[in-house]
Amino acid sequence: MEDSDGRTDYIGPLEDPRPSLAADTTAAVDILVALWTRTARTGTPQLSALQLHALHSVRTAPGLNLGALADAIGTAPSAASRLCDRLEAAGMIRRDPSPANRRTIGLTLTRRGQDALDAVSARRERLLGEVLDRMPADTRGQLLTGLRAFATASCAADLDERHRD
């Protein structure tokens, strides 16, 4: 680039923005996770992140057995069993024999479990709405576009990973 004295300043190669982008994204996700988990611990009932993950997994796949739940939430079957004991005692899940194989126990979300998930989702939407309302409208649109692209890329990465196994 030439200045008024006719000198050319060298501008080095453009830096790869990905390391900074990854660090900035990590920081933003940390904030989002803090907001996300806080909504599960506030209100009634208070649920841990693992309890919420288990309830979501059971809602997504009714009849899921204990081993599949353990895989879905990334824990040992014994820990998943203890977690289910607590959720069942709280009236949020039910264990039922599978109609196909009576030796297999399927997990089902109860009305109370569904209500708990709905309450947490409502608190999350309200809190995220408050944050989004403080953002300029054009950046909200950019955020949504970026998150959709991120979700698409993440799904593609998941598919690639499954094909390598």
Side-chain angles (χ1 to χ4, degrees):
M1 199 151 89
E2 233 175 74
D3 65 13
S4 59
D5 296 332
R7 292 182 304 194
T8 303
D9 291 332
Y10 173 74
I11 299 177
L14 294 176
E15 289 185 30
D16 183 352
R18 286 177 294 178
S20 174
L21 180 60
D24 290 347
T25 302
T26 298
V29 168
D30 286 344
I31 293 167
L32 182 59
V33 167
L35 293 173
W36 203 249
T37 55
R38 183 174 60 199
T39 58
R41 292 189 319 263
T42 59
T44 305
Q46 293 182 0
L47 299 166
S48 72
L50 192 58
Q51 288 171 324
L52 267 178
H53 194 173
L55 290 173
H56 277 287
S57 296
V58 171
R59 177 171 63 184
T60 303
L64 180 81
N65 69 28
L66 195 59
L69 176 65
D71 288 343
I73 64 175
T75 190
S78 59
S81 180
R82 288 189 302 274
L83 176 66
C84 286
D85 290 343
R86 289 189 298 277
L87 291 172
E88 188 175 31
M92 294 188 193
I93 63 166
R94 190 177 65 243
R95 296 178 192 195
D96 297 312
S98 169
N101 179 350
R102 297 201 48 81
R103 291 182 298 168
T104 302
I105 302 296
L107 303 170
T108 307
L109 200 61
T110 63
R111 170 65 29 229
R112 185 169 185 184
Q114 182 64 48
D115 290 347
L117 285 175
D118 291 346
V120 170
S121 291
R123 287 192 303 268
R124 285 176 170 169
E125 284 183 27
R126 190 171 42 256
L127 181 61
L128 289 175
E130 291 170 7
V131 173
L132 291 168
D133 286 346
R134 291 192 293 263
M135 293 175 61
D138 62 327
T139 52
R140 285 193 302 262
Q142 292 170 2
L143 175 64
L144 182 58
T145 299
L147 288 173
R148 285 178 175 158
F150 183 87
T152 299
S154 177
C155 289
D158 287 346
L159 286 174
D160 290 346
E161 184 66 29
R162 281 188 222 132
H163 288 290
R164 278 187 232 134
D165 292 339

